[in-house]
Amino acid sequence: MSGNENRTLYELLGGAETLSRLVEAFYSKVQQEPLLSPLFPQNIGPVIERQTMFLTQFFGGPTLYSDRHGHPMMRARHMPFPITKERADAWLGCMSEAMVEVGLPEDLKAFLIERLRGSAYHFVNTPEEE
Ligand code: HEM
């Protein structure tokens, strides 16, 4: 991604409009993924809202999430949920498909997924065999 050194990932992916479409597409996949859907509430709207604020800031945009909710402490916020490596991979799979669906270029998609993979694996808190 040479020539883009001064732009944030948030700008590169298309800003608020694309991010909003991405998060919507992502949770509709999460809700159809048997490994993930049982962890999430039926009323997904508030989750979509918090995730949109979080990813805005995670990708270098305005600090919407921290402004509203304080320090992200994302691993701690995930502790109530049994997150296995398999679930982390399912989460990344839904995100990857959502990125294709909203039309992100392949190289940008790969870069963003690598960034998210670090976090997703860091949130694993439960061994595979439950
Ligand atoms: C590794 C697999 C993951 C699983 C299974 C998972 C699952 C969940 C669940 C069950 C919730 C709570 C929904 C609710 O009831 O409010 C949640 C919230 C959230 N997750 Fe994840 N998550 C994963 C990875 C990630 C990653 C990689 C990120 C971003 C880097 C992320 C960002 C968030 C955010 C921002 C929230 C809302 C936190 C809040 O309540 O303020 N999650 N996640």
Side-chain angles (χ1 to χ4, degrees):
M1 287 182 285
S2 59
N4 288 320
E5 289 82 2
N6 296 323
R7 303 183 65 199
T8 61
L9 290 170
Y10 172 73
E11 291 169 316
L12 286 174
L13 68 79
E17 195 268 334
T18 312
L19 196 54
S20 169
R21 285 195 293 121
L22 174 65
V23 175
E24 294 269 351
F26 170 68
Y27 282 108
S28 81
K29 294 179 191 307
V30 164
Q31 287 183 304
Q32 292 165 52
E33 163 54 65
L35 280 170
L36 299 176
S37 60
L39 302 182
F40 287 86
Q42 198 85 1
N43 177 19
I44 202 76
V47 181
I48 290 181
E49 196 188 341
R50 293 195 296 274
Q51 184 66 273
T52 305
M53 293 192 288
F54 180 79
L55 289 180
T56 296
Q57 112 178 28
F58 187 80
F59 291 138
T63 57
L64 303 181
Y65 186 89
S66 294
D67 292 351
R68 175 86 66 91
H69 300 289
H71 193 289
M73 305 178 303
M74 266 311 143
R75 187 168 196 278
R77 288 189 205 263
H78 284 79
M79 281 310 275
F81 310 103
I83 302 186
T84 56
K85 163 91 166 28
E86 205 182 7
R87 284 198 169 114
D89 286 330
W91 192 103
L92 291 163
C94 289
M95 184 56 83
S96 186
E97 285 176 22
M99 285 179 178
V100 171
E101 194 171 303
V102 302
L104 294 194
E106 178 56 37
D107 61 342
L108 178 60
K109 186 201 112 180
F111 190 82
L112 297 175
I113 287 291
E114 275 320 297
R115 291 286 295 270
L116 290 167
R117 190 184 312 279
S119 298
Y121 287 176
H122 179 60
F123 298 165
V124 170
N125 56 23
T126 304
E128 218 65 5
E129 49 287 316
E130 278 177 61

